[in-house]
Amino acid sequence: GALTETTFLILLTLYTPNHGYGIMQFIEWATEGRVVLGAGTLYGAMNTLAKKKWIVPLDDEADSKRKRYVISDIGKQKAEAELRRMSQVWKLAATIIGGGGNEWGKQ
């Protein structure tokens, strides 16, 4: 099924290892302020993603105060599948909105 926007954005952010506050900052910056995650939303989503093994914590002794995470291979598969799904939806919408119409059923 489709991922929520929050889940997809977190997965994309974690292609580079990051900690919670860094994830919040990156998402706000990348979406030009359209998406601002609260701590509860972010950490709840991250806990769910970690339980599903879509993200994994890094053993990072250099900065023990901030636990960093990275996307797992399973998480990458989910993000890539979501990108394919969104691309199909985008192409359909662009065709219909761009004047190509909906040709389904007109035979």
Side-chain angles (χ1 to χ4, degrees):
L3 301 181
T4 66
E5 183 176 19
T6 298
T7 296
F8 191 46
L9 289 170
I10 292 169
L11 291 176
L12 292 175
T13 302
L14 291 177
Y15 270 78
T16 301
N18 211 336
H19 52 80
Y21 184 67
I23 294 167
M24 287 191 296
Q25 288 182 312
F26 178 81
I27 290 173
E28 185 173 352
W29 171 82
T31 63
E32 299 177 349
R34 184 180 56 79
V35 177
V36 179
L37 298 178
T41 299
L42 174 67
Y43 290 108
M46 288 177 64
N47 285 335
T48 299
L49 294 173
K51 286 178 186 175
K52 292 180 176 183
K53 301 192 186 307
W54 294 8
I55 65 172
V56 293
L58 293 177
D59 291 328
D60 196 355
E61 295 178 20
D63 191 358
S64 61
K65 292 181 183 179
R66 294 183 175 174
K67 192 171 199 174
R68 294 189 325 148
Y69 289 83
V70 68
I71 190 170
S72 68
D73 288 339
I74 296 167
K76 287 178 182 178
Q77 291 171 6
K78 297 296 183 181
E80 291 164 7
E82 181 66 3
L83 179 58
R84 285 189 300 273
R85 185 195 71 77
M86 290 176 68
S87 293
Q88 290 173 338
V89 171
W90 185 88
K91 287 176 189 174
L92 175 61
T95 298
I96 292 170
I97 293 170
N102 181 351
E103 298 301 318
W104 184 80
K106 295 182 183 178
Q107 298 176 25

